[in-house]
Structures are given as C-alpha cells and as structure tokens.
Amino acid sequence: MSDTPTPPQPLADRPDNARYFEAQYRVRTGDIDQDMRVRLDAVARFLQDVANDNIEATEFWETDPYWIVRRTVVDVISPITWPATITAQRWCGALSTRWTNMRVRFTAKHETNMFNPDERPDGLIETEAFWILVNDQGIPTRLSDEAFEMLSQMTTEHRLRWKAMNPVKAPDAGSEPDREHVLRAVDYDPFKHLNNAAYLAVLEDEVLAHPELIEGPHRMVIEYLRPIEPGASLTIRRLRDGDTLTLWLLLHDEEGDGKQVAATISLGPLPT
C-alpha cells in the first residue's frame, strides 16, 4: 500500500447496468447545524446506516460480516438541508480480493416547513469509502467467492490498490496553535471503536472558524491510520493552505514524549 498522496480526481459514476442497493432516511434535527445544513458527521452516520442495511439485505451477513473503513471521501455538490428525505444508492466502484471502494450517492428533494420556508435546490452528495474485510480478530481476509462475484459485476476495476489522498506526516507546526479535543463516552461503540461520526465532529468544530470552505461545492477526505481507544488524549494540528484545511489527529504515545497520527482530514474545493 502506498502512502504517497494522489492528485484529487472526481468520483466515478455508476455504470448504467450496475446493480445497486437503495434505501431512504429521514433527515432529523440532530443531523443539522444552525443553518439547517446536514453536517459531515451526520453524513458519516448515514453511510454507516446504509452499509449495515445493505449487508443485512444480502446473503453475506454470515460469510462476510466484518468490515472496517480505511478512508471516506464526501463530495458535497449541493448541500442537503432539513427538512428532507434522503435517498441513498450504494454500489461497488472498485474491488480487490480483500477490500472494496463502495460508492454511495445521496439525493434529496427538499421540503419546506415553518422553520425553513424557502425553496431550495435538490441536494446531492457523492461519497466513496475504502472498506477492508477483516475476520473476527480484525485481520484483513479474503472476500468469499460469492461476495467477490456479486461485487465484481458492479465494476470493471478488480485490482484496487490503496493510495493515500491526504498527507500522512504531520507538519512540525500548523497555521494555528494545536488544540486538545475531548473524547466522550458516547463517541464509542460496544467494540471500543471510535465512531466514524465522532472523527468528523472534530472537523465541524473547525468549520465554525472557516465557514467559507463549505460555501460552494467541497470535498472532505478522512483517512483512518490508527485506532483511538477509550481514554486517549487527542491533539488536533491544523494547517490552512489557501482554500484547503488539513487536520492531523494526534495521539500521545505511551512514553508521552511524542505524538502519532491517528487520522487525517482534509476539506477543500471539489476537484475538476
């Protein structure tokens, strides 16, 4: 696997004949910010929901049940706001024998109510997540023959390789002072795994200081490098470079004299 960042590219569209899973989800007030925009951490929750619903709707719940996310790309082309019902379509964009790029398209026809009475354009968010199949010990393992056959029918890319999209190494200092981020008990699931949405709550804190980054179409990329266990101390290093903001989520090492990168997040304009 290469950790050299690759130039940003638009997400590939779904082939006309590709099989896909579809589900609908209602946008709730817990998903939105003060401007009624569906937050990026809420997008992560919707991605988890549609992934769970998708696998439960297949015969692979028993044979290929354990998946972890290595990266998520979220392209907000037209923001989704409340009130609305989201339609999610999920399919495989590329795969290999142990991992897949799963594409999810979120669309929404916006409604109005007394709190948000203005008409708004339809919402459109395109996403792609690099999922790794693991066994019950968390070790990468091969897809079952049946799962590989089904997913391979959705895409012609059957030799997927990992290439980092964010810079892995944190700079010695950011454009703003480091800040500490307090993790909460509710950020963790029963497997002591920091919920994917909790990572993006870190980014939403930064959006308050950089609202111009989400005024137009934008891309968010998060790459997960190390687990963040309960009780961890988390430091956020931030670098604003032109129209792009990059965050490094830093863990204190066991000796306490250094920091390891647990995840990287970038937010900037959509690639053209």
Side-chain angles (χ1 to χ4, degrees), residues 132-198:
I132 301 175
L133 180 67
V134 298
N135 60 22
D136 57 4
Q137 302 299 313
I139 300 173
T141 189
R142 294 177 64 89
L143 277 71
S144 65
D145 292 342
E146 295 78 10
F148 186 89
E149 180 181 1
M150 184 193 75
L151 294 172
S152 65
Q153 294 173 4
M154 304 178 190
T155 176
T156 59
E157 177 53 69
H158 299 165
R159 296 179 62 85
L160 175 64
R161 295 291 183 268
W162 169 265
K163 289 185 178 180
M165 295 177 67
N166 288 340
V168 177
K169 181 177 173 56
D172 292 335
S175 54
E176 302 176 41
D178 290 353
R179 68 174 178 86
E180 301 303 308
H181 181 79
V182 178
L183 297 169
R184 308 167 302 167
V186 296
D187 292 334
Y188 288 87
D189 64 20
F191 306 103
K192 297 183 179 181
H193 170 262
L194 186 66
N195 190 280
N196 295 337

Side-chain angles (χ1 to χ4, degrees), residues 56-104:
E56 288 182 2
T58 71
E59 61 271 32
F60 307 122
W61 182 248
E62 296 292 337
T63 60
D64 303 77
Y66 304 113
W67 295 83
I68 58 174
V69 179
R70 184 73 165 83
R71 171 174 58 227
T72 301
V73 180
V74 177
D75 286 355
V76 180
I77 299 166
S78 179
I80 296 175
T81 57
W82 174 81
T85 296
I86 291 176
T87 297
Q89 295 180 346
R90 187 174 192 261
W91 70 95
C92 180
L95 80 160
S96 188
T97 56
R98 287 177 169 80
W99 43 72
T100 69
N101 266 346
M102 297 302 296
R103 287 275 280 108
V104 177

Side-chain angles (χ1 to χ4, degrees), residues 5 40-41 70 72 164-181 196-210 213-214 219-226 228 234-241 243-251 259-268:
L40 291 165
D41 61 301
R70 184 73 165 83
T72 301
M165 295 177 67
N166 288 340
V168 177
K169 181 177 173 56
D172 292 335
S175 54
E176 302 176 41
D178 290 353
R179 68 174 178 86
E180 301 303 308
H181 181 79
N196 295 337
Y199 287 86
L200 293 183
V202 175
L203 179 59
E204 284 291 336
D205 287 342
E206 299 299 327
V207 167
L208 292 175
H210 303 272
L213 292 177
I214 62 168
R219 166 172 285 185
M220 186 284 306
V221 179
I222 179 167
E223 295 183 336
Y224 307 94
L225 306 179
R226 288 180 176 83
I228 301 176
L234 196 61
T235 298
I236 312 302
R237 184 155 297 165
R238 303 165 285 177
L239 180 63
R240 178 71 185 265
D241 184 9
D243 55 7
T244 299
L245 175 69
T246 305
L247 308 180
W248 289 265
L249 281 60
L250 305 177
L251 285 170
K259 296 182 175 67
Q260 295 180 319
V261 179
T264 61
I265 308 175
S266 62
L267 178 65

Side-chain angles (χ1 to χ4, degrees), residues 113-139:
N113 62 14
M114 62 183 294
F115 302 103
N116 199 0
D118 296 331
E119 298 287 340
R120 291 103 65 207
D122 294 346
L124 174 60
I125 298 177
E126 300 278 8
T127 77
E128 182 177 82
F130 192 102
W131 288 86
I132 301 175
L133 180 67
V134 298
N135 60 22
D136 57 4
Q137 302 299 313
I139 300 173

